[in-house]
Amino acid sequence: MDNEIQLISDGDGLAVIGNPAAVERFLVSEGLPSKDLGLPRLGSVLSAGSAAAQAGSEIAANSGRWVQLTKESAQVVHKYGLMQSKTPGVSHAMVGQPGSIKSWLQIAKGPGSMVGNPAMLAGAAGIMAQVAMQQSMKEITDYLATIDEKVGDVLRAQKDAVLARMIGVGFVIEEAMTIRQARGRVDEITWSKVQGAPTTIAESQAYALRQLDALAEKLERKTTIGDLAKAAKEAESKGQEWLAVLARCFQLQDAIAVLELDRVLDASPSELDGHRLGLKAARKNRLDLISRCTERLMARMDAAAGKANTKVLLHPMDSPAVVQSSNQVSTAIVDFHGRLGIEGARESSEARRWSDAAKEARDKALETGADGVGAAKRLGNETLGRARWATGKLSSRIVERALRQRGDNDEGDKRN
């Protein structure tokens, strides 16, 4: 019927399939942005015979749109109560606008429902997985564009043999994706060009992860604030470069998965669902591995910032620098996580001002009584002297501001 549509969800996206006008009305009514699903490619999963011919004609008459699952679109899935199908990880529902009713309502399974054709439902899930990965690839492209200088530093001028091979493989994969786009399928010749690519990409990914681990270990080994500041600065400058390499590796791995699903869809459609699930599990494992590595670096940066904040009184220049580098690295990692779909959040550390630390030290000394007052004054004088000696390049304006701050605090104590 023209007023019936099918909703299919695989946990990452929502497919809306039906009469083109009905699909459009549904998407507009729910306020959901969408992109073409590529429904005609489902013809590859059909067997010969009259039933296949009928199903093929239904595919040709219908439209398919894909919606990325976000907080808003997930509410739509919940709203219409999609039910689990026999295809693992895939839920389904049919909705319609019966009679003059304007709102969409869940209805009984219609004659054109994909639930009655497991092969079609598995094929739809496979195509949805491809569209989801292509969307992820686009987001990574946008991410790399925002840090173009870093990409240039690492990917374009890379002399390391491991990454050089990855760059070459990237050209081959992009060529295969172009051929796929032109032909609508991945034939044996096209697939043969990229079969060895996963090994090269995995080597590059492992190399980048080791570089990030090395940055984290270097931070852990440093004991003095000066050395910690240097290590934190290196992590800030190098960290995002290796994040860019990881992002490119992940993008190419998604591209390979898209090509794989096309090849299976073309050569062994009955195996499509199992291959889809295997790729999904492998992708999750890669995300978990990347998440653990980047979170280790973020934890080391947080620890460095915490240590620097306890020493800010004696190191008024290096301590804030450590905190600043920590925040830069953590912000880069959070952005990177968001582009890859890794959940998590991290609040920025806040560098303590020198005067705040000095006031805290003095207040602690005051708690000990008269001896503490003398100790606080000595601490203040000694600290100012040490700061001038250790940071000879400080301008007189900075020193005067510190002295003025201390004087304001003393005046406040007299008034109290």
Side-chain angles (χ1 to χ4, degrees):
M1 294 177 61
D2 290 346
N3 289 331
E4 293 180 2
I5 59 172
Q6 302 179 62
L7 304 179
I8 302 172
S9 175
D10 63 353
D12 296 317
L14 176 71
V16 184
I17 300 172
N19 178 276
V23 169
E24 183 65 22
R25 285 199 306 273
F26 176 82
L27 293 172
V28 170
S29 67
E30 296 292 346
L32 298 175
S34 66
K35 61 194 311 180
D36 182 46
L37 181 63
L39 194 62
R41 292 167 51 224
L42 278 181
S44 300
V45 306
L46 302 176
S47 303
S50 58
Q54 181 181 354
S57 64
E58 290 175 357
I59 291 174
N62 285 333
S63 170
R65 304 292 296 180
W66 179 84
V67 177
Q68 186 173 14
L69 275 189
T70 61
K71 181 179 179 181
E72 292 75 18
S73 55
Q75 291 175 350
V76 174
V77 174
H78 178 73
K79 174 181 177 181
Y80 292 106
L82 275 64
M83 302 294 292
Q84 286 295 320
S85 69
K86 293 182 179 179
T87 302
V90 176
S91 55
H92 177 275
M94 289 200 69
V95 299
Q97 286 182 318
S100 60
I101 297 177
K102 294 183 179 181
S103 60
W104 294 86
L105 303 173
Q106 187 181 47
I107 60 176
K109 184 173 70 174
S113 173
M114 287 188 177
V115 170
N117 191 330
M120 292 261 302
L121 193 60
I127 294 174
M128 290 171 66
Q130 287 180 307
V131 178
M133 285 185 284
Q134 288 175 292
Q135 177 65 26
S136 174
M137 290 166 60
K138 180 183 180 301
E139 291 175 1
I140 292 175
T141 297
D142 295 340
Y143 165 75
L144 294 175
T146 62
I147 54 173
D148 187 65
E149 291 183 3
K150 297 296 183 184
V151 178
D153 290 342
V154 180
L155 298 182
R156 295 177 190 162
Q158 184 54 238
K159 297 179 181 179
D160 187 276
V162 174
L163 297 187
R165 288 196 298 272
M166 186 268 286
I167 294 169
V169 162
F171 291 140
V172 176
I173 293 174
E174 288 171 358
E175 178 184 307
M177 292 292 287
T178 300
I179 295 173
R180 170 189 181 268
Q181 181 67 27
R183 297 198 58 193
R185 59 188 290 262
V186 176
D187 58 24
E188 188 175 351
I189 295 175
T190 303
W191 177 243
S192 67
K193 296 179 180 180
V194 299
Q195 278 183 301
T199 300
T200 301
I201 300 170
E203 289 176 356
S204 300
Q205 175 183 284
Y207 186 82
L209 290 171
R210 286 199 301 270
Q211 298 304 313
L212 290 175
D213 277 337
L215 293 174
E217 290 170 5
K218 186 177 291 186
L219 282 164
E220 191 174 20
R221 290 196 302 265
K222 301 304 178 184
T223 56
T224 68
I225 297 298
D227 289 343
L228 199 60
K230 292 177 182 178
K233 191 64 179 177
E234 181 183 1
E236 179 185 352
S237 63
K238 297 294 185 182
Q240 193 168 61
E241 296 178 0
W242 294 113
L243 291 178
V245 173
L246 283 178
R248 179 58 172 163
C249 288
F250 200 84
Q251 184 183 49
L252 293 177
Q253 286 162 331
D254 271 353
I256 285 290
V258 170
L259 294 170
E260 276 189 41
L261 287 172
D262 256 2
R263 185 63 191 139
V264 174
L265 185 64
D266 190 55
S268 306
S270 62
E271 300 176 6
L272 180 64
D273 201 51
H275 203 79
R276 171 185 68 86
L277 293 174
L279 288 174
K280 186 172 184 178
R283 191 176 192 271
K284 182 180 183 302
N285 289 340
R286 290 199 305 271
L287 285 174
D288 290 343
L289 178 62
I290 292 171
S291 176
R292 288 194 298 270
C293 176
T294 51
E295 285 177 0
R296 275 197 301 270
L297 177 57
M298 194 153 54
R300 295 289 183 270
M301 295 301 295
D302 280 345
K307 183 176 182 180
N309 268 334
T310 65
K311 304 293 185 179
V312 66
L313 187 65
L314 305 179
H315 302 274
M317 298 295 288
D318 285 339
S319 290
V322 172
V323 176
Q324 182 180 5
S325 293
S326 172
N327 286 336
Q328 290 293 329
V329 171
S330 296
T331 298
I333 290 175
V334 169
D335 184 27
F336 170 78
H337 282 183
R339 303 294 181 140
L340 266 63
I342 299 173
E343 295 182 357
R346 185 260 190 197
E347 295 182 359
S348 296
S349 300
E350 183 179 353
R352 296 168 60 197
R353 293 172 54 197
W354 184 93
S355 57
D356 291 339
K359 184 176 184 300
E360 179 182 323
R362 190 194 61 182
D363 289 345
K364 287 181 179 179
L366 285 172
E367 292 174 1
T368 64
D371 290 340
V373 173
K377 290 180 178 179
R378 288 195 302 275
L379 175 61
N381 293 332
E382 290 170 3
T383 301
L384 285 177
R386 189 180 298 111
R388 292 193 186 98
W389 173 81
T391 58
K393 294 184 179 180
L394 283 175
S395 67
S396 59
R397 186 171 61 235
I398 296 176
V399 176
E400 290 171 0
R401 186 165 61 247
L403 291 169
R404 187 166 58 252
Q405 177 68 36
R406 195 179 70 172
D408 292 341
N409 291 333
D410 289 339
E411 288 295 324
D413 289 343
K414 291 178 181 179
R415 287 194 297 271
N416 294 332

